mmCIF file of all heavy atoms in Angstrom:
data_model
loop_
_atom_site.group_PDB
_atom_site.id
_atom_site.type_symbol
_atom_site.label_atom_id
_atom_site.label_comp_id
_atom_site.label_asym_id
_atom_site.label_seq_id
_atom_site.Cartn_x
_atom_site.Cartn_y
_atom_site.Cartn_z
ATOM 1 N N ALA L 350 -47.338 -232.893 77.995
ATOM 2 C CA ALA L 350 -46.185 -231.988 77.745
ATOM 3 C C ALA L 350 -46.090 -231.669 76.262
ATOM 4 O O ALA L 350 -45.768 -230.539 75.871
ATOM 5 C CB ALA L 350 -44.905 -232.608 78.247
ATOM 6 N N ALA L 351 -46.329 -232.673 75.405
ATOM 7 C CA ALA L 351 -46.291 -232.439 73.950
ATOM 8 C C ALA L 351 -47.347 -231.458 73.518
ATOM 9 O O ALA L 351 -47.096 -230.564 72.680
ATOM 10 C CB ALA L 351 -46.456 -233.781 73.232
ATOM 11 N N ARG L 352 -48.532 -231.586 74.060
ATOM 12 C CA ARG L 352 -49.591 -230.629 73.720
ATOM 13 C C ARG L 352 -49.232 -229.233 74.194
ATOM 14 O O ARG L 352 -49.420 -228.231 73.482
ATOM 15 C CB ARG L 352 -50.915 -231.083 74.330
ATOM 16 C CG ARG L 352 -52.080 -230.234 73.874
ATOM 17 C CD ARG L 352 -53.391 -230.636 74.540
ATOM 18 N NE ARG L 352 -54.462 -229.773 74.073
ATOM 19 C CZ ARG L 352 -55.600 -229.565 74.723
ATOM 20 N NH1 ARG L 352 -55.794 -230.168 75.879
ATOM 21 N NH2 ARG L 352 -56.507 -228.767 74.246
ATOM 22 N N GLU L 353 -48.677 -229.148 75.389
ATOM 23 C CA GLU L 353 -48.254 -227.851 75.923
ATOM 24 C C GLU L 353 -47.158 -227.234 75.069
ATOM 25 O O GLU L 353 -47.125 -225.992 74.883
ATOM 26 C CB GLU L 353 -47.774 -228.016 77.371
ATOM 27 C CG GLU L 353 -47.315 -226.749 78.035
ATOM 28 C CD GLU L 353 -48.458 -225.766 78.309
ATOM 29 O OE1 GLU L 353 -49.602 -226.209 78.370
ATOM 30 O OE2 GLU L 353 -48.163 -224.546 78.427
ATOM 31 N N ALA L 354 -46.283 -228.083 74.515
ATOM 32 C CA ALA L 354 -45.175 -227.587 73.675
ATOM 33 C C ALA L 354 -45.630 -227.132 72.310
ATOM 34 O O ALA L 354 -44.931 -226.399 71.640
ATOM 35 C CB ALA L 354 -44.109 -228.675 73.538
ATOM 36 N N GLY L 355 -46.828 -227.603 71.875
ATOM 37 C CA GLY L 355 -47.340 -227.150 70.575
ATOM 38 C C GLY L 355 -47.844 -228.228 69.654
ATOM 39 O O GLY L 355 -48.251 -227.960 68.523
ATOM 40 N N LEU L 356 -47.865 -229.500 70.093
ATOM 41 C CA LEU L 356 -48.453 -230.559 69.285
ATOM 42 C C LEU L 356 -49.956 -230.399 69.238
ATOM 43 O O LEU L 356 -50.618 -230.260 70.270
ATOM 44 C CB LEU L 356 -48.081 -231.914 69.849
ATOM 45 C CG LEU L 356 -48.518 -233.153 69.068
ATOM 46 C CD1 LEU L 356 -47.891 -233.136 67.655
ATOM 47 C CD2 LEU L 356 -48.167 -234.427 69.810
ATOM 48 N N GLY L 357 -50.534 -230.432 68.015
ATOM 49 C CA GLY L 357 -51.974 -230.209 67.875
ATOM 50 C C GLY L 357 -52.779 -231.484 67.701
ATOM 51 O O GLY L 357 -53.931 -231.558 68.144
ATOM 52 N N SER L 358 -52.220 -232.455 66.994
ATOM 53 C CA SER L 358 -52.941 -233.703 66.725
ATOM 54 C C SER L 358 -51.912 -234.758 66.334
ATOM 55 O O SER L 358 -50.760 -234.459 66.052
ATOM 56 C CB SER L 358 -53.983 -233.509 65.628
ATOM 57 O OG SER L 358 -53.376 -233.032 64.437
ATOM 58 N N VAL L 359 -52.361 -236.032 66.290
ATOM 59 C CA VAL L 359 -51.435 -237.126 65.993
ATOM 60 C C VAL L 359 -52.029 -237.972 64.847
ATOM 61 O O VAL L 359 -53.245 -238.119 64.738
ATOM 62 C CB VAL L 359 -51.162 -238.010 67.223
ATOM 63 C CG1 VAL L 359 -50.513 -237.198 68.309
ATOM 64 C CG2 VAL L 359 -52.439 -238.669 67.745
ATOM 65 N N PRO L 360 -51.174 -238.538 63.996
ATOM 66 C CA PRO L 360 -51.648 -239.452 62.959
ATOM 67 C C PRO L 360 -52.080 -240.779 63.571
ATOM 68 O O PRO L 360 -51.407 -241.312 64.454
ATOM 69 C CB PRO L 360 -50.428 -239.635 62.049
ATOM 70 C CG PRO L 360 -49.436 -238.629 62.488
ATOM 71 C CD PRO L 360 -49.724 -238.298 63.925
ATOM 72 N N GLY L 361 -53.148 -241.334 63.069
ATOM 73 C CA GLY L 361 -53.580 -242.651 63.498
ATOM 74 C C GLY L 361 -52.984 -243.728 62.651
ATOM 75 O O GLY L 361 -53.615 -244.800 62.434
ATOM 76 N N THR L 362 -51.800 -243.509 62.142
ATOM 77 C CA THR L 362 -51.111 -244.482 61.295
ATOM 78 C C THR L 362 -50.395 -245.498 62.185
ATOM 79 O O THR L 362 -50.436 -245.422 63.396
ATOM 80 C CB THR L 362 -50.143 -243.782 60.328
ATOM 81 O OG1 THR L 362 -49.455 -242.742 61.058
ATOM 82 C CG2 THR L 362 -50.888 -243.116 59.187
ATOM 83 N N ALA L 363 -49.713 -246.445 61.551
ATOM 84 C CA ALA L 363 -49.141 -247.623 62.234
ATOM 85 C C ALA L 363 -50.232 -248.563 62.718
ATOM 86 O O ALA L 363 -49.961 -249.519 63.427
ATOM 87 C CB ALA L 363 -48.209 -247.237 63.378
ATOM 88 N N ALA L 364 -51.485 -248.294 62.290
ATOM 89 C CA ALA L 364 -52.570 -249.206 62.649
ATOM 90 C C ALA L 364 -52.522 -250.465 61.768
ATOM 91 O O ALA L 364 -52.873 -251.531 62.223
ATOM 92 C CB ALA L 364 -53.920 -248.497 62.497
ATOM 93 N N ARG L 365 -52.130 -250.254 60.501
ATOM 94 C CA ARG L 365 -52.132 -251.355 59.509
ATOM 95 C C ARG L 365 -53.468 -252.067 59.591
ATOM 96 O O ARG L 365 -54.508 -251.498 59.327
ATOM 97 C CB ARG L 365 -50.934 -252.260 59.751
ATOM 98 C CG ARG L 365 -49.632 -251.581 59.312
ATOM 99 C CD ARG L 365 -48.441 -252.484 59.499
ATOM 100 N NE ARG L 365 -47.851 -252.384 60.801
ATOM 101 C CZ ARG L 365 -46.996 -251.440 61.169
ATOM 102 N NH1 ARG L 365 -46.640 -250.491 60.312
ATOM 103 N NH2 ARG L 365 -46.464 -251.422 62.377
ATOM 104 N N ILE L 366 -53.480 -253.346 59.946
ATOM 105 C CA ILE L 366 -54.716 -254.056 60.287
ATOM 106 C C ILE L 366 -54.650 -254.371 61.768
ATOM 107 O O ILE L 366 -53.636 -254.940 62.239
ATOM 108 C CB ILE L 366 -54.887 -255.359 59.458
ATOM 109 C CG1 ILE L 366 -55.235 -255.009 58.012
ATOM 110 C CG2 ILE L 366 -55.991 -256.237 60.077
ATOM 111 C CD1 ILE L 366 -56.630 -254.442 57.797
ATOM 112 N N LEU L 367 -55.653 -254.021 62.498
ATOM 113 C CA LEU L 367 -55.618 -254.180 63.970
ATOM 114 C C LEU L 367 -55.968 -255.620 64.351
ATOM 115 O O LEU L 367 -57.010 -255.911 64.928
ATOM 116 C CB LEU L 367 -56.535 -253.145 64.624
ATOM 117 C CG LEU L 367 -56.067 -251.691 64.456
ATOM 118 C CD1 LEU L 367 -57.152 -250.719 64.930
ATOM 119 C CD2 LEU L 367 -54.748 -251.461 65.181
ATOM 120 N N ASP L 368 -55.036 -256.491 63.995
ATOM 121 C CA ASP L 368 -55.122 -257.908 64.319
ATOM 122 C C ASP L 368 -53.683 -258.380 64.539
ATOM 123 O O ASP L 368 -52.842 -258.271 63.657
ATOM 124 C CB ASP L 368 -55.758 -258.676 63.147
ATOM 125 C CG ASP L 368 -55.856 -260.173 63.392
ATOM 126 O OD1 ASP L 368 -54.792 -260.854 63.319
ATOM 127 O OD2 ASP L 368 -56.962 -260.659 63.702
ATOM 128 N N ASP L 369 -53.412 -258.879 65.757
ATOM 129 C CA ASP L 369 -52.020 -259.189 66.095
ATOM 130 C C ASP L 369 -51.389 -260.244 65.199
ATOM 131 O O ASP L 369 -50.216 -260.157 64.830
ATOM 132 C CB ASP L 369 -51.943 -259.629 67.547
ATOM 133 C CG ASP L 369 -52.086 -258.479 68.520
ATOM 134 O OD1 ASP L 369 -51.612 -257.366 68.207
ATOM 135 O OD2 ASP L 369 -52.716 -258.667 69.586
ATOM 136 N N ASP L 370 -52.159 -261.254 64.802
ATOM 137 C CA ASP L 370 -51.597 -262.293 63.944
ATOM 138 C C ASP L 370 -51.233 -261.740 62.564
ATOM 139 O O ASP L 370 -50.153 -261.998 62.034
ATOM 140 C CB ASP L 370 -52.608 -263.442 63.804
ATOM 141 C CG ASP L 370 -52.057 -264.546 62.896
ATOM 142 O OD1 ASP L 370 -51.019 -265.140 63.206
ATOM 143 O OD2 ASP L 370 -52.704 -264.813 61.833
ATOM 144 N N VAL L 371 -52.158 -260.956 61.982
ATOM 145 C CA VAL L 371 -51.895 -260.339 60.683
ATOM 146 C C VAL L 371 -50.673 -259.426 60.745
ATOM 147 O O VAL L 371 -49.780 -259.456 59.885
ATOM 148 C CB VAL L 371 -53.112 -259.550 60.194
ATOM 149 C CG1 VAL L 371 -52.756 -258.708 58.946
ATOM 150 C CG2 VAL L 371 -54.245 -260.480 59.875
ATOM 151 N N ARG L 372 -50.556 -258.618 61.805
ATOM 152 C CA ARG L 372 -49.456 -257.689 61.930
ATOM 153 C C ARG L 372 -48.118 -258.437 62.016
ATOM 154 O O ARG L 372 -47.136 -258.033 61.373
ATOM 155 C CB ARG L 372 -49.663 -256.823 63.180
ATOM 156 C CG ARG L 372 -50.871 -255.886 63.042
ATOM 157 C CD ARG L 372 -51.309 -255.342 64.382
ATOM 158 N NE ARG L 372 -50.395 -254.321 64.907
ATOM 159 C CZ ARG L 372 -50.377 -253.060 64.527
ATOM 160 N NH1 ARG L 372 -51.213 -252.628 63.601
ATOM 161 N NH2 ARG L 372 -49.530 -252.209 65.060
ATOM 162 N N ALA L 373 -48.075 -259.498 62.782
ATOM 163 C CA ALA L 373 -46.830 -260.274 62.927
ATOM 164 C C ALA L 373 -46.472 -260.977 61.611
ATOM 165 O O ALA L 373 -45.294 -260.966 61.208
ATOM 166 C CB ALA L 373 -46.955 -261.279 64.051
ATOM 167 N N ARG L 374 -47.446 -261.546 60.956
ATOM 168 C CA ARG L 374 -47.177 -262.237 59.692
ATOM 169 C C ARG L 374 -46.711 -261.254 58.623
ATOM 170 O O ARG L 374 -45.799 -261.520 57.857
ATOM 171 C CB ARG L 374 -48.420 -262.972 59.215
ATOM 172 C CG ARG L 374 -48.783 -264.213 60.001
ATOM 173 C CD ARG L 374 -50.082 -264.806 59.494
ATOM 174 N NE ARG L 374 -49.983 -265.154 58.077
ATOM 175 C CZ ARG L 374 -51.027 -265.210 57.253
ATOM 176 N NH1 ARG L 374 -52.229 -264.889 57.725
ATOM 177 N NH2 ARG L 374 -50.873 -265.563 56.017
ATOM 178 N N LEU L 375 -47.327 -260.115 58.615
ATOM 179 C CA LEU L 375 -46.989 -259.118 57.572
ATOM 180 C C LEU L 375 -45.571 -258.588 57.744
ATOM 181 O O LEU L 375 -44.857 -258.388 56.756
ATOM 182 C CB LEU L 375 -47.992 -257.964 57.632
ATOM 183 C CG LEU L 375 -48.028 -257.014 56.454
ATOM 184 C CD1 LEU L 375 -48.359 -257.732 55.165
ATOM 185 C CD2 LEU L 375 -49.040 -255.913 56.704
ATOM 186 N N LEU L 376 -45.152 -258.385 58.974
ATOM 187 C CA LEU L 376 -43.822 -257.860 59.221
ATOM 188 C C LEU L 376 -42.766 -258.946 59.351
ATOM 189 O O LEU L 376 -41.568 -258.674 59.349
ATOM 190 C CB LEU L 376 -43.819 -256.980 60.478
ATOM 191 C CG LEU L 376 -44.518 -255.637 60.415
ATOM 192 C CD1 LEU L 376 -44.253 -254.824 61.657
ATOM 193 C CD2 LEU L 376 -44.122 -254.841 59.157
ATOM 194 N N GLY L 377 -43.201 -260.175 59.496
ATOM 195 C CA GLY L 377 -42.260 -261.271 59.686
ATOM 196 C C GLY L 377 -41.597 -261.214 61.051
ATOM 197 O O GLY L 377 -40.505 -261.725 61.241
ATOM 198 N N GLY L 378 -42.256 -260.642 62.028
ATOM 199 C CA GLY L 378 -41.743 -260.494 63.390
ATOM 200 C C GLY L 378 -42.677 -259.691 64.231
ATOM 201 O O GLY L 378 -43.749 -259.281 63.771
ATOM 202 N N PRO L 379 -42.312 -259.431 65.467
ATOM 203 C CA PRO L 379 -43.217 -258.710 66.379
ATOM 204 C C PRO L 379 -43.521 -257.308 65.875
ATOM 205 O O PRO L 379 -42.691 -256.611 65.305
ATOM 206 C CB PRO L 379 -42.418 -258.652 67.684
ATOM 207 C CG PRO L 379 -41.417 -259.721 67.582
ATOM 208 C CD PRO L 379 -41.070 -259.824 66.141
ATOM 209 N N ASP L 380 -44.782 -256.907 66.057
ATOM 210 C CA ASP L 380 -45.225 -255.551 65.755
ATOM 211 C C ASP L 380 -45.844 -254.980 67.040
ATOM 212 O O ASP L 380 -46.079 -255.698 67.989
ATOM 213 C CB ASP L 380 -46.288 -255.586 64.642
ATOM 214 C CG ASP L 380 -46.526 -254.227 64.008
ATOM 215 O OD1 ASP L 380 -45.898 -253.239 64.444
ATOM 216 O OD2 ASP L 380 -47.351 -254.144 63.079
ATOM 217 N N LEU L 381 -46.079 -253.669 67.048
ATOM 218 C CA LEU L 381 -46.737 -253.065 68.196
ATOM 219 C C LEU L 381 -48.063 -253.744 68.403
ATOM 220 O O LEU L 381 -48.903 -253.779 67.486
ATOM 221 C CB LEU L 381 -46.926 -251.556 67.934
ATOM 222 C CG LEU L 381 -47.433 -250.705 69.091
ATOM 223 C CD1 LEU L 381 -46.349 -250.586 70.156
ATOM 224 C CD2 LEU L 381 -47.866 -249.352 68.582
ATOM 225 N N PRO L 382 -48.330 -254.326 69.579
ATOM 226 C CA PRO L 382 -49.597 -255.020 69.780
ATOM 227 C C PRO L 382 -50.797 -254.109 69.605
ATOM 228 O O PRO L 382 -50.745 -252.905 69.892
ATOM 229 C CB PRO L 382 -49.486 -255.524 71.240
ATOM 230 C CG PRO L 382 -48.015 -255.544 71.520
ATOM 231 C CD PRO L 382 -47.438 -254.413 70.745
ATOM 232 N N VAL L 383 -51.875 -254.677 69.163
ATOM 233 C CA VAL L 383 -53.125 -253.939 68.942
ATOM 234 C C VAL L 383 -53.545 -253.237 70.266
ATOM 235 O O VAL L 383 -53.940 -252.084 70.245
ATOM 236 C CB VAL L 383 -54.233 -254.845 68.453
ATOM 237 C CG1 VAL L 383 -55.573 -254.119 68.434
ATOM 238 C CG2 VAL L 383 -53.894 -255.387 67.055
ATOM 239 N N ARG L 384 -53.443 -253.946 71.350
ATOM 240 C CA ARG L 384 -53.825 -253.360 72.645
ATOM 241 C C ARG L 384 -53.021 -252.111 72.945
ATOM 242 O O ARG L 384 -53.564 -251.109 73.414
ATOM 243 C CB ARG L 384 -53.669 -254.384 73.753
ATOM 244 C CG ARG L 384 -54.066 -253.878 75.141
ATOM 245 C CD ARG L 384 -53.952 -254.973 76.169
ATOM 246 N NE ARG L 384 -54.293 -254.464 77.518
ATOM 247 C CZ ARG L 384 -54.279 -255.198 78.607
ATOM 248 N NH1 ARG L 384 -53.995 -256.484 78.542
ATOM 249 N NH2 ARG L 384 -54.608 -254.657 79.761
ATOM 250 N N THR L 385 -51.724 -252.169 72.641
ATOM 251 C CA THR L 385 -50.859 -251.004 72.930
ATOM 252 C C THR L 385 -51.185 -249.865 72.001
ATOM 253 O O THR L 385 -51.281 -248.704 72.422
ATOM 254 C CB THR L 385 -49.375 -251.414 72.795
ATOM 255 O OG1 THR L 385 -49.096 -252.504 73.665
ATOM 256 C CG2 THR L 385 -48.458 -250.252 73.122
ATOM 257 N N TRP L 386 -51.378 -250.171 70.699
ATOM 258 C CA TRP L 386 -51.746 -249.097 69.739
ATOM 259 C C TRP L 386 -53.028 -248.416 70.210
ATOM 260 O O TRP L 386 -53.107 -247.182 70.239
ATOM 261 C CB TRP L 386 -51.942 -249.699 68.344
ATOM 262 C CG TRP L 386 -52.224 -248.681 67.309
ATOM 263 C CD1 TRP L 386 -51.303 -248.025 66.513
ATOM 264 C CD2 TRP L 386 -53.502 -248.112 66.939
ATOM 265 N NE1 TRP L 386 -51.931 -247.111 65.684
ATOM 266 C CE2 TRP L 386 -53.290 -247.147 65.930
ATOM 267 C CE3 TRP L 386 -54.803 -248.360 67.369
ATOM 268 C CZ2 TRP L 386 -54.330 -246.444 65.357
ATOM 269 C CZ3 TRP L 386 -55.850 -247.652 66.792
ATOM 270 C CH2 TRP L 386 -55.633 -246.705 65.801
ATOM 271 N N THR L 387 -54.004 -249.209 70.613
ATOM 272 C CA THR L 387 -55.280 -248.631 71.066
ATOM 273 C C THR L 387 -55.071 -247.780 72.299
ATOM 274 O O THR L 387 -55.644 -246.673 72.405
ATOM 275 C CB THR L 387 -56.273 -249.797 71.377
ATOM 276 O OG1 THR L 387 -56.443 -250.565 70.193
ATOM 277 C CG2 THR L 387 -57.620 -249.231 71.828
#
Side-chain angles (χ1 to χ4, degrees):
R352 187 183 179 202
E353 180 67 23
L356 184 61
S358 57
V359 299
T362 43
R365 288 182 272 277
I366 288 290
L367 294 171
D368 179 286
D369 286 324
D370 179 61
V371 170
R372 294 163 73 81
R374 287 176 59 206
L375 194 60
L376 290 189
D380 195 359
L381 188 71
V383 172
R384 180 176 178 179
T385 303
W386 184 92
T387 302

